[in-house]
Amino acid sequence: MKLFDNKVIVITGGTGSLGKVLTRRLLKKELGSPKKIVIFSRDEAKQHTMRVEYQNKKKVTDEVIYDNFARLIEFRIGDIRDYSSVCSVLKDADIVINAAALKQVPSCEYFPFEAVRTNILGAENIVRGIAENNLSVETVVGVSTDKACKPVNAMGISKAMQERIFITANVVIPKTKFICVRYGNVLASRGSVIPLFHEQIKHGGPVTITTKEMTRFLLPLESAVDTIFAALAGAKAGEIYIPKIPAARIEDVAKALIEKRPVSISYTGIRPGEKVHEVLISEEEAWRAYDRGAYYAIKPMLPELFVPEPDQQALVKEYSSGDFLMTFEETVALLRKQQLLVDQSQEEGEFLR
């Protein structure tokens, strides 16, 4: 039996960039045939658009999407902040992937309690709903970010708390496995830097960059989904899965997209809450982080959950975007492979590659 065979999978925030690619991958049935995929979000317009896109698409995935489509995918209006709607959507779930989030650093900095309500209380609603209603959820995956590691901004702090809430839930609800995935900037997801650069270039510039030195991990959306699938298949209770991914100078990303166009670059200075380099595994976490092939797994610090691996060597230093930089040529090649250069065709509305 495959991982998703006959499972009810709930994706909170399922109309976001990650949720849409995750849904498409689940519909391909590469790891089994789900019984139902439930898209849970509070945005009825995005739900309607997503529903119409799947019903009317005439591309290669048609034959794997439309076998009894109405029964396979269910759209549910609700808010991760609302306990009753969370309980309602979880009652038949086997697997929950929590992609609902406030993720824009400036927005969370100006409205920090809104970040608390979505990123922290939303996670607590999932845990509380499972515990108080004795639900038979098998696995919960919390989608986190590199900004949760050594956080310096409200978004990162709220995501770090989400990680802790889910990890601790393994102690109080041992029949459900709670795990997390943590990764860097997802290439071209909604609100990320590449769509911004595209827009600036198409309007003649300038392309705005905070500082020449800034680096970021870059992760294709498909690899973000791969990380979730790998964690579901291999993570132990309380572990955080982290993909081994390339990093680049943001200046190189901008220059790669500009190519030979007469577009200038403007340096604006670091925004409130920003780091020059992002860290996926801190020095403090490194001693309990282990190699799992294409991923690292950070073991939980709680003694009830920590299981040593005496045959494995833990990391000896932090995992920082400043230490694993691609060359300019490698950055160009990655963007071209993901069809993210300005002249390459994009799906209407979002960059979903």
Side-chain angles (χ1 to χ4, degrees):
M1 190 169 179
K2 293 185 177 179
L3 185 63
F4 297 124
D5 276 342
N6 206 36
K7 302 295 184 185
V8 175
I9 303 167
V10 172
I11 308 171
T12 71
T15 52
S17 307
L18 175 63
K20 291 173 76 171
V21 176
L22 179 56
T23 300
R24 190 183 73 215
R25 290 280 297 275
L26 289 169
L27 289 168
K28 288 183 178 180
K29 302 180 181 178
E30 57 197 86
L31 294 175
S33 300
K35 181 179 179 181
K36 183 171 286 189
I37 302 166
V38 182
I39 306 299
F40 178 75
S41 78
R42 62 183 179 180
D43 194 322
E44 63 177 349
K46 287 177 188 162
Q47 285 196 12
H48 178 69
T49 300
M50 188 172 174
R51 183 187 293 112
V52 168
E53 282 175 357
Y54 280 121
Q55 288 175 338
N56 294 329
K57 260 186 182 176
K58 300 298 178 188
K59 294 188 178 179
V60 69
T61 53
D62 279 6
E63 68 278 5
V64 296
I65 289 178
Y66 302 125
D67 51 326
N68 206 356
F69 172 83
R71 182 176 59 82
L72 184 58
I73 300 184
E74 179 182 317
F75 290 88
R76 295 281 294 269
I77 296 290
D79 195 331
I80 194 70
R81 301 174 174 200
D82 182 71
Y83 177 66
S84 60
S85 62
V86 170
C87 290
S88 175
V89 78
L90 294 184
K91 64 182 174 60
D92 296 318
D94 298 301
I95 296 170
V96 180
I97 300 168
N98 185 40
L102 286 184
K103 62 180 183 178
Q104 296 300 314
V105 168
S107 296
C108 293
E109 213 58 36
Y110 282 105
F111 304 99
F113 192 67
E114 296 303 312
V116 169
R117 293 174 68 194
T118 298
N119 299 346
I120 298 177
L121 298 181
E124 176 63 17
N125 281 338
I126 292 173
V127 174
R128 183 180 159 205
I130 294 170
E132 293 185 356
N133 297 283
N134 196 29
L135 300 180
S136 56
V137 176
E138 296 172 8
T139 309
V140 175
V141 182
V143 177
S144 190
T145 167
D146 50 9
K147 293 172 181 61
C149 183
K150 299 168 70 172
V152 298
N153 51 54
M155 196 277 266
I157 292 166
S158 65
K159 280 293 198 173
M161 285 302 298
Q162 177 195 254
E163 290 180 357
R164 298 301 196 277
I165 286 167
F166 282 144
I167 289 168
T168 304
N170 288 286
V171 177
V172 294
I173 318 173
K175 66 184 178 65
T176 300
K177 181 170 71 173
F178 293 84
I179 55 180
C180 292
V181 294
R182 183 198 286 173
Y183 36 66
N185 292 29
V186 176
L187 277 172
S189 64
R190 184 185 297 129
S192 68
V193 72
I194 288 179
L196 171 64
F197 285 174
H198 275 239
E199 191 71 14
Q200 291 174 334
I201 291 167
K202 288 174 182 177
H203 285 84
V207 172
T208 55
I209 297 174
T210 51
T211 173
K212 282 177 171 287
E213 293 78 21
M214 185 163 287
T215 66
R216 287 295 181 266
F217 290 106
L218 301 179
L219 185 73
L221 272 164
E222 298 290 349
S223 298
V225 175
D226 289 340
T227 305
I228 293 170
F229 287 177
L232 280 164
K236 301 178 178 67
E239 289 186 340
I240 302 173
Y241 255 47
I242 291 156
K244 298 175 182 177
I245 51 179
R249 292 180 181 86
I250 296 301
E251 184 181 56
D252 283 353
V253 173
K255 289 179 177 178
L257 294 175
I258 291 170
E259 297 180 281
K260 295 182 179 179
R261 297 175 179 85
V263 173
S264 64
I265 294 176
S266 173
Y267 300 92
T268 60
I270 295 177
R271 298 179 301 176
E274 260 188 335
K275 297 179 183 177
V276 174
H277 306 298
E278 289 289 5
V279 178
L280 275 169
I281 302 173
S282 69
E283 289 181 14
E284 295 78 15
E285 292 170 321
W287 69 271
R288 49 190 172 87
Y290 293 87
D291 196 313
R292 297 273 172 84
Y295 305 91
Y296 294 114
I298 302 176
K299 290 186 167 295
M301 68 173 72
L302 298 178
E304 296 91 337
L305 301 173
F306 182 82
V307 179
E309 297 190 20
D311 298 330
Q312 286 245 38
Q313 175 65 48
L315 298 188
V316 296
K317 59 177 290 188
E318 70 178 17
Y319 183 30
S320 166
S321 62
D323 295 335
F324 297 90
L325 288 173
M326 292 184 290
T327 63
F328 176 75
E329 291 73 21
E330 289 170 334
T331 303
V332 173
L334 175 64
L335 294 172
R336 179 175 289 113
K337 180 180 179 182
Q338 297 301 318
Q339 300 183 34
L340 291 172
L341 297 178
V342 175
D343 291 335
Q344 292 179 308
S345 62
Q346 303 295 337
E347 294 185 19
E348 188 176 350
E350 278 195 79
F351 297 73
L352 295 182
R353 295 296 182 188

